[in-house]
Amino acid sequence: MTEVPQDLPIRERDAVRVVVRDTTDRILLFHTREPTYPELGTWWELPGGGMDPGETYLETAVRELREETGIVVTADQVGAPTWRRRATFKHRMYRHVQNEVVVQVRLPGPGPDVDGAERLDYEVEDYFGFRWWPIPEVVASREAFYPRNVPGLLEAFLQGAEIDEPFEIWS
């Protein structure tokens, strides 16, 4: 197993990432940066975040989607956590280590505009744009993503594959 870098204080948590898919087969990605580490540049990121104490992955997916995007869904719209991963990245002077599951949410119509009114202060700074990406464009893209292998794993995930991704040192 790859070792976690010991360069910063470590924060470990369980987290959920959400592949939000609309009826035109586009997925929602945030254009993201980390102001503390400008050398990381910018990337496209799946919505999601940490599980609060006592929360299930379903509750986390529903809450995070509402907070980060304004999109309101119910737990029965959240798919199974068939993509599992562990990753680490630098964020706000900490090294985050996350045990993540990725789930799919299918919307009943075309993707709406994002409403970030409930975002946390750091999310307002970090997320500077969003885009509804056609799935073939994600798969063919050479841009940076979090998770890094979104282009390579997206189609298999959407087809129901069980994915256990190796540990990723993202930054």
Side-chain angles (χ1 to χ4, degrees), residues 18-82:
V18 184
V19 174
V20 186
R21 186 178 181 185
D22 73 2
T23 54
T24 62
D25 277 335
R26 298 177 305 163
I27 67 165
L28 177 63
L29 293 165
F30 288 126
H31 211 187
T32 306
R33 65 177 163 242
E34 211 295 23
T36 313
Y37 302 102
E39 68 275 11
L40 296 177
T42 63
W43 62 92
W44 294 94
E45 182 172 308
L46 293 173
M51 295 175 73
D52 287 342
E55 260 187 340
T56 67
Y57 79 89
L58 293 169
E59 293 165 333
T60 302
V62 169
R63 177 182 54 77
E64 286 287 340
L65 200 54
R66 185 193 74 248
E67 289 175 359
E68 292 182 353
T69 70
I71 297 171
V72 177
V73 298
T74 59
D76 64 341
Q77 289 174 268
V78 178
T82 58

Side-chain angles (χ1 to χ4, degrees), residues 77-97:
Q77 289 174 268
V78 178
T82 58
W83 181 355
R84 294 162 296 276
R85 61 191 312 275
R86 184 170 163 85
T88 184
F89 54 87
K90 298 186 291 187
H91 186 254
R92 306 289 174 154
M93 306 307 292
Y94 286 89
R95 171 148 304 280
H96 291 259
V97 178

Side-chain angles (χ1 to χ4, degrees), residues 125-136:
E125 289 181 44
D126 293 357
Y127 304 152
F128 63 92
F130 74 94
R131 179 176 168 208
W132 287 96
W133 285 65
I135 292 168

